[in-house]
């Protein structure tokens, strides 16, 4: 069984190795695909929040955003060691108060280890990143609900 979602219409960015135009987007996807989190304290705000389909996926209670970001990336890299990201579109808007709002369309692929085999997946994702004073403060991800429920179940969390 493979978890598969339809790919976005259109093509990936001209450079298939491009991980994003905005430095924050490039940093997030580089961390996801390579595990490189150098400068995490400089790139991620202390009050960093991350959400998937409306559920908060980091614990902001400690207000150590860099550590929360690192744990989230490490979780995904350990769960899906062959994680791949193809960026399709990125749109950003700079506000007068030094806030950047960025929307990104991308496709994530890889496989989850399940018992004696691997469960491959390809899923389209929309992400919304908020950057304040050059630091990532928020990362909101929206994915296919079926995929989201399967991921939550694999993590031992309720699907609703």
């Amino acid at each position: 069984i493979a978890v598969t979602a339809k790919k976005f219409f259109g093509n990936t960015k001209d450079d298939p190795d491009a991980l994003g135009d905005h430095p924050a987007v490039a940093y997030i996807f580089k961390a996801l695909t390579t595990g490189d989190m150098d400068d995490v304290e400089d790139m991620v705000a202390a009050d960093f929040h991350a959400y998937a389909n409306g559920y908060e996926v980091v614990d902001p209670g400690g207000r150590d955003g860099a550590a929360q970001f690192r744990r989230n990336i490490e979780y995904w890299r350990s769960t899906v060691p062959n994680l791949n990201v193809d960026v399709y579109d990125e749109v950003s808007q700079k506000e007068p108060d030094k806030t950047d709002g960025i929307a990104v369309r991308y496709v994530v692929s890889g496989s989850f280890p399940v018992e004696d085999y691997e469960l491959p997946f390809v899923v389209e994702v929309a992400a919304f990143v908020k950057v304040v004073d050059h630091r990532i403060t928020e990362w909101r991800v929206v994915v296919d609900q079926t995929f989201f429920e399967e991921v939550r179940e694999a993590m031992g969390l309720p699907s609703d």
Side-chain angles (χ1 to χ4, degrees):
I1 297 173
V3 177
T4 306
K6 286 193 259 182
K7 285 197 170 194
F8 290 106
F9 294 108
N11 299 313
T12 58
K13 288 184 156 300
D14 293 334
D15 178 0
D17 295 325
L19 294 174
D21 297 326
H22 191 284
V25 173
Y27 184 80
I28 289 169
F29 292 137
K30 181 180 177 188
L32 269 174
T33 58
T34 68
D36 181 358
M37 288 181 274
D38 290 346
D39 304 321
V40 69
E41 287 81 11
D42 295 330
M43 292 298 297
V44 180
D47 62 348
F48 170 74
H49 293 288
Y51 304 87
N53 287 21
Y55 290 90
E56 194 155 30
V57 295
V58 300
D59 177 14
R63 294 295 180 223
D64 187 350
Q68 293 291 334
F69 180 88
R70 183 181 302 279
R71 280 193 286 277
N72 191 34
I73 296 295
E74 287 171 349
Y75 167 78
W76 276 102
R77 298 231 357 108
S78 67
T79 303
V80 186
N82 63 343
L83 187 70
N84 183 58
V85 176
D86 292 317
V87 178
Y88 280 68
D89 292 303
E90 176 181 336
V91 178
S92 62
Q93 177 177 329
K94 186 172 282 302
E95 299 294 334
D97 66 354
K98 297 184 181 179
T99 298
D100 296 348
I102 308 144
V104 186
R105 290 188 321 145
Y106 58 102
V107 171
V108 174
S109 59
S111 54
F112 291 114
V114 179
E115 297 174 9
D116 294 335
Y117 65 96
E118 298 212 353
L119 178 64
F121 67 87
V122 175
V123 67
E124 64 184 56
V125 183
F128 305 92
V129 179
K130 183 177 176 182
V131 177
V132 177
D133 290 329
H134 308 289
R135 291 191 169 178
I136 303 163
T137 60
E138 193 171 278
W139 180 12
R140 292 183 178 267
V141 175
V142 181
V143 297
D144 174 77
Q145 189 64 30
T146 301
F147 176 77
F148 178 71
E149 289 170 2
E150 289 182 11
V151 170
R152 286 184 56 84
E153 184 178 313
M155 295 170 61
L157 300 170
S159 59
D160 300 310

